[in-house]
Amino acid sequence: MEIIHTPFGIDDPYYIVQGYERSPREPLEGDCVKVKFVTDPMTVGQRAWIEVQAGDRIYKRRAQYQLNHGGKAHWEVDIDSESVGTKMKYRFIAGRGPSTYVTSKWYEYTVCKWIDARDILSLENETLTVNRDSRTGCEAVKEASILTDGTELFDLRITLERDENEQFYGLGEHFDAITIPDGQERFIHVYDQYKVQKDRGYAPVPFIFSSNGKALFVDTGYMTSVKLDRSEITLRVYTRGFPIEDTRIHLWKKETPLKAIEEIYSISKPCTPPLWALGPWLSANQWNSQKKVMGVLDETVKNNLPATALVIEAWADEQTFYIFNGAQYEPLPGERNFKLANFRFREPWPDPAEMIRKLHEKGIKLLLWQIPVMKCFDDSNPQPAIDIRYGSSKGYFVKKDDGSDYKIPPARWHEENVVVDFYNDEAAKWWASKREYLIKELGVDGFKTDGGEHLWGRETFTAAGSAAMTRNTYPEKYFQASASILNEDGALFSRAGYTRSPAYSLFWVGDEDSTWEALRDNITAGLNVSISGNPFWGWDIAGFSGEIPSAELYKRSIELAVFTPIFQLHSEDSGDPVPSSERTPWNISRAYNDKNIIDYYRRFASLRMTLSPYIYGESIRAAQTGRPLTLPLFLIEKENDPEELSYMFGREIVVSPAVDEEMKVRKLILPEGEWVNLWSGETYSGTVSIHGKRNEVYLRKGSIIPLSIPSDESLFGTNWSQEEKGQLHVGNEWPKDVDELKRSGKATRMARIIGKEQGIIKIEWRDIQ
């Protein structure tokens, strides 16, 4: 018989609990503690007890049987409340009688309580820290308390004053709203919530700022939370039973919200994407062979659909994640790295080098899917087992507290597999070196660095300490290792993340269905990460999961994606579903028997190419100045409703997204000056009432927009180039002084708006040199 008890479960903040946890997980003085455990298997006549040592006192108590689930008996028993500092030990005894009794290991905790912490908080240069030697107090906080067992200090809780009518924003990725709601504790915890995420995020950031310019950032790896009430802001740091350390709370009061955002950008230090990353991306889980990828390239070229990046997810052996599926080779010792010449490629990837060469000929970069996990489930080749044995012998994997290799818990993504410890510099170099041939010899241009949310439970440890302190920052180390082998113009594309992830990786908001609700949620999440230090985001256009999107949802999403930082199609279903669920324009066209969908996609993918020089320039400026590339418009004109999701795309474009199936009339207050509607050429200023379902886009009148130039010299002409060759002067008059434009040497031509043709603005070009 086995006795199963995990006192803290996997420390899930949303209390998705297992049936054998302790509650509360962190007992306080005066708490009656409820303990649940399981005996496996369930046998007739079974009984169970708990044996407790409370300081010097010892007692036993019968456990109450609850149910038989899956052949396992579930039990429940209470432990008496005790005073702070009491060291508690307990274990379980179960069986039919003395000859069959089984005893568990001992479990321990020390009873804690909250004490006043104001006199041990130290404030210097707008930064609040716990300082046990300080007795000066801190007037910056209204209340402060810290959890203690009488010896060590653990969780921190502080309360700040909130101004009347002060609204707060930030927290990185969350999908439910731009404005942080009152009355709900919001956890900042890297979390793999598959679809319908709402307040749960793969890439949260412990940063909030207010409409008054007040801002708060917790620089720590521990899980934190924020709760807003009518007059208070409550912040909590959860150390999971480990002494608090390496935690700094920055309290800023800035003149404007934009100045507060600049502070988090100065910390996140986002990397500017290479120019190619700003063109259209193609991706689908179904592409699990070279034949399929070549078919995608053929369709792209045949239909004249510009693209600059292609992602292959199902390319690897699904164990090492650095060897192409089907490749034959002689196994190498774990410390050695493969070269391209070591492989004899076979189906389904008979010639990756030729595949990549053909993609590059069309200007399409290639990214391969990655995961920070190693598996061994197939004995057909010993390399995965060799690598895992070697990595384990060198201490390259995340560990349990007993020194054994940690494995992802059951029922979590990639369960029962080891996780690379990127806090161990040698492990990070080893993992990255295995993939170096992909970049240096094959010419792969980047990685889709998926995952990163795998560190569960407080008995889990990295080289930098407990998972309690490193779970949130783990994606940053994973991306840093991945980026270390990229070429200068390479890129990562990631879903998880934390405060400093933007320094290494672009980001996608995932995962979501092909529904109108999901469209709104994705744009909400993208704007939330943008104002939290992560400017270069995209999403799976029109959703990646479930049945294919409606034609209207697809078209409207394509329009909107032109004016978000990353333009990426993707779909979830693997294998060869019939009908296919690819979100490629040719597949959507076939599904609805409508060739116009391909034409529609071509126009907007080409517009994206044409605007690439503008987007690239604004991306550089966003990274350098801390002004988000997608800046919610209410931060410029505060009378705008944040939940209308209107935003500036760079400095010269305003976007009013149409993210609902049945759009109500929406009000938009434009920034100061005159603005030209991209579709109609009409000029607007001040308040605009928008009717209809189209995403409205406005260009600042008088601005200069750098462009690539399609062969037909229209904004929507088919365009495979991102090179800056011209500039659009927004207005119908030529600028009076073009000397500065001439001196720049970049563009040789300038355009002006001369009217409207077939529902879109018409422009006229002239040489400026």
Side-chain angles (χ1 to χ4, degrees), residues 631-651:
L631 176 65
L633 199 56
F634 76 92
L635 295 172
I636 302 294
E637 293 292 339
K638 64 181 181 180
E639 297 304 315
N640 283 290
D641 180 357
E643 309 314 325
E644 289 283 6
L645 305 182
S646 57
Y647 59 91
M648 296 198 72
F649 187 49
R651 291 168 291 169

Side-chain angles (χ1 to χ4, degrees), residues 300-510:
T300 301
V301 173
K302 179 183 72 176
N303 290 295
N304 202 12
L305 304 175
T308 60
L310 186 142
V311 180
I312 308 177
E313 294 207 349
W315 69 279
D317 57 10
E318 296 297 317
Q319 297 183 84
T320 65
F321 297 102
Y322 65 81
I323 297 173
F324 274 87
N325 189 26
Q328 296 179 353
Y329 52 91
E330 294 299 321
L332 292 178
E335 68 272 20
R336 291 184 57 191
N337 300 326
F338 284 93
K339 302 294 185 183
L340 187 60
N342 295 130
F343 297 108
R344 300 176 301 281
F345 292 105
R346 299 288 187 270
E347 291 290 348
W349 305 97
D351 194 347
E354 176 68 4
M355 175 184 71
I356 294 170
R357 185 187 67 79
K358 288 183 176 180
L359 289 170
H360 284 175
E361 281 181 352
K362 291 303 298 180
I364 298 174
K365 304 291 187 178
L366 177 65
L367 295 92
L368 298 179
W369 188 85
Q370 283 296 297
I371 197 77
V373 170
M374 297 184 72
K375 298 183 177 183
C376 182
F377 56 77
D378 183 352
D379 295 333
S380 62
N381 196 295
Q383 191 64 48
I386 291 171
D387 286 347
I388 290 175
R389 282 196 301 271
Y390 176 78
S392 181
S393 72
K394 301 292 287 185
Y396 287 169
F397 303 134
V398 176
K399 299 293 184 185
K400 298 292 287 182
D401 58 353
D402 63 4
S404 63
D405 291 334
Y406 161 82
K407 293 186 178 181
I408 299 170
R412 304 309 309 192
W413 195 32
H414 295 292
E415 62 182 356
E416 301 296 339
N417 290 290
V418 296
V419 179
V420 178
D421 184 358
F422 293 104
Y423 294 92
N424 179 328
D425 290 341
E426 291 303 314
K429 291 175 184 176
W430 174 72
W431 182 89
S433 69
K434 296 287 186 182
R435 291 147 176 79
E436 204 158 3
Y437 84 93
L438 297 168
I439 303 292
K440 306 305 181 187
E441 295 189 80
L442 268 178
V444 171
D445 303 284
F447 296 117
K448 184 173 183 177
T449 34
D450 207 349
E453 318 92 349
H454 308 294
L455 305 189
W456 296 97
R458 68 183 66 191
E459 296 177 344
T460 303
F461 288 83
T462 68
S466 72
M469 189 169 62
T470 57
R471 176 189 172 90
N472 280 343
T473 55
Y474 181 84
E476 298 172 352
K477 302 297 288 184
Y478 166 35
F479 304 153
Q480 183 180 20
S482 303
S484 69
I485 57 173
L486 295 180
N487 294 325
E488 187 175 351
D489 68 340
L492 303 180
F493 195 41
S494 309
R495 182 184 65 181
Y498 196 54
T499 304
R500 292 172 174 82
S501 299
Y504 308 105
S505 181
L506 311 176
F507 174 71
W508 93 90
V509 176

Side-chain angles (χ1 to χ4, degrees), residues 587-607:
N587 189 58
I588 302 295
S589 174
R590 283 194 291 264
Y592 292 106
N593 193 27
D594 183 358
K595 293 184 178 179
N596 290 328
I597 289 175
I598 293 179
D599 296 334
Y600 199 86
Y601 177 87
R602 184 188 305 109
R603 290 177 60 207
F604 284 94
S606 295
L607 176 62

Side-chain angles (χ1 to χ4, degrees), residues 191-197 202 495 511 513 544-545 572:
Y191 196 80
D192 57 336
Q193 176 64 45
Y194 174 65
K195 302 198 292 190
V196 195
Q197 295 93 345
Y202 296 97
R495 182 184 65 181
D511 299 302
D513 289 313
F544 94 125
S545 187
E572 178 182 34

Side-chain angles (χ1 to χ4, degrees), residues 11 15 57 91 95-96 155 171 186 195 204 215 263 369 391 556 574 634:
D11 271 327
Y15 282 86
R57 187 164 64 96
R91 65 179 179 177
R96 300 180 63 192
D155 294 9
L171 293 184
R186 307 297 292 253
K195 302 198 292 190
E263 293 288 348
W369 188 85
R556 204 184 299 173
S574 59
F634 76 92

